[in-house]
Amino acid sequence: LADPDAPLGVFDSGLGGLTVVRALLEQNPQERIIYLGDTARVPYGTRSPETVIRYALRCASVLRARQIKGLVVACNTVSAVALDMLRVEFDLPVMGVIEPGARAALRAMRQRERSRPICPIGVLGTQGTVASGAYPRAVAQLSTRYEVRAQAAPLLVPLVEEGWVDGELPRLAVRRYLTPLIDAGVRIIVLGCTHYPLLKPVIEAVASELAQEPVAVVDSADATAEEVAHLLEARQLQRHAPTPANERLELMVTDLPASFQNAAERFLGSGVPQAIQIDLSVEE
Ligand code: DGL
């Protein structure tokens, strides 16, 4: 039986999952988190489902060996193709980000419908996520009223990993990816990749400029954190004692930590622990 005082394990291909970590820390202030960014193998989004499944299995095994009480897959690409496998393989609560992302989109749609006509829901994601059809499926499971248009945006992950999140270059790339969505009438956009919230200001600005009206841009981080809180409560897995601030987060990466560390500090603020480099081929 899982120990409520054990940490939650969270992983992504790189630093994108930190967008989910930030929401988890905010909404679950007593919990401890061990984060793994597989920076040696980022990006996942351009790889085949078989490869992503293999990578996900390694990441999850390493976290499980750290005695986690639950696994948060802070990666849409992995959530799209490997969630069922992880649930079968690991005797742990496993949560993904796609269902929460779909729920966030529907919340935005209900808001919009109060004053404006219904529109298609746009999804920006990696090639793997878009090819899997996971978002249209997740939305259809919640409501069959809405059309979903997904657009792969493969250049955005390297831009974020590079820390290139404002200025002319990201604007041009974002413009190129958003144009077909906006032309199709999309006015609600789901960031279907956990890296993209770092580009949210650019995405919002370019979308609204192209549409010449406000476009709602939503991501799955808050909805995922809410879901994790409910699940821990339902399974009586909430941590009993509060965790001291300096023990709340542990960071692991699979390649040189320097650029990840800088981005983590920029994104999560000071007090971020030093990321430790691990080798997934020998860890267990
Ligand atoms: N951040 C991940 C996602 O949500 C993966 C990005 C990538 O590695 O391509 O899809």
Side-chain angles (χ1 to χ4, degrees):
L1 209 63
D3 171 10
D5 288 333
L8 284 166
V10 183
F11 77 95
D12 177 42
S13 59
L15 58 88
L18 294 178
T19 59
V20 177
V21 166
R22 181 158 81 177
L24 284 170
L25 290 170
E26 270 166 22
Q27 291 191 42
N28 299 272
Q30 75 289 9
E31 299 297 335
R32 276 169 59 210
I33 292 173
I34 303 184
Y35 182 82
L36 170 60
D38 191 6
T39 48
R41 299 191 290 194
V42 67
Y44 281 10
T46 48
R47 305 189 196 278
S48 67
E50 293 74 18
T51 299
V52 173
I53 287 173
R54 195 153 43 80
Y55 289 180
L57 203 49
R58 282 307 300 145
C59 291
S61 304
V62 166
L63 288 167
R64 186 190 43 189
R66 303 280 198 289
Q67 321 295 340
I68 56 172
K69 64 179 171 185
L71 182 65
V72 181
V73 178
C75 174
N76 289 265
T77 311
V78 174
S79 300
V81 300
L83 209 58
D84 291 341
M85 177 281 290
L86 292 171
R87 287 188 170 136
V88 170
E89 270 321 295
F90 296 92
D91 190 20
L92 279 172
V94 177
M95 286 144 286
V97 284
I98 289 188
E99 222 188 273
R103 213 162 309 122
L106 259 60
R107 223 179 272 169
M109 184 62 93
R110 278 192 287 274
Q111 187 88 16
R112 178 184 163 88
E113 279 180 292
R114 291 194 198 136
S115 56
R116 291 196 167 88
I118 194 170
C119 67
I121 294 171
V123 178
L124 282 180
T126 65
Q127 286 154 322
T129 299
V130 170
S132 75
Y135 266 96
R137 254 194 323 276
V139 168
Q141 263 157 22
L142 298 170
S143 168
T144 50
R145 292 180 61 214
Y146 307 115
E147 183 195 344
V148 176
R149 298 225 168 201
Q151 169 71 43
L155 281 181
L156 303 189
V157 169
L159 283 173
V160 168
E161 286 286 327
E162 201 51 48
W164 213 337
V165 292
D166 50 30
E168 206 46 37
L169 203 86
R171 275 185 75 84
L172 283 174
V174 163
R175 195 183 176 87
R176 177 78 173 256
Y177 294 136
L178 285 179
T179 299
L181 293 178
I182 298 297
D183 286 351
V186 163
R187 296 295 180 267
I188 290 174
I189 292 168
V190 191
L191 303 182
C193 171
T194 54
H195 280 71
Y196 301 170
L198 287 133
L199 285 164
K200 194 167 176 177
V202 175
I203 294 171
E204 265 168 353
V206 172
S208 303
E209 194 180 291
L210 288 172
Q212 301 199 325
E213 63 169 302
V215 175
V217 178
V218 300
D219 68 67
S220 51
D222 286 331
T224 302
E226 262 166 47
E227 195 153 298
V228 169
H230 289 151
L231 192 107
L232 293 178
E233 197 185 338
R235 304 218 183 167
Q236 298 186 310
L237 279 175
Q238 282 162 313
R239 190 175 159 81
H240 300 121
T243 311
N246 61 345
E247 288 171 27
R248 295 194 61 206
L249 183 60
E250 247 178 81
L251 297 174
M252 299 188 290
V253 289
T254 54
D255 207 338
L256 296 176
S259 69
F260 178 91
Q261 190 71 33
N262 287 338
E265 280 165 20
R266 248 184 293 124
F267 189 66
L268 295 174
S270 57
V272 170
Q274 183 60 48
I276 309 293
Q277 184 176 352
I278 62 163
D279 181 347
L280 283 186
S281 60
V282 296
E283 286 283 332
E284 185 66 35

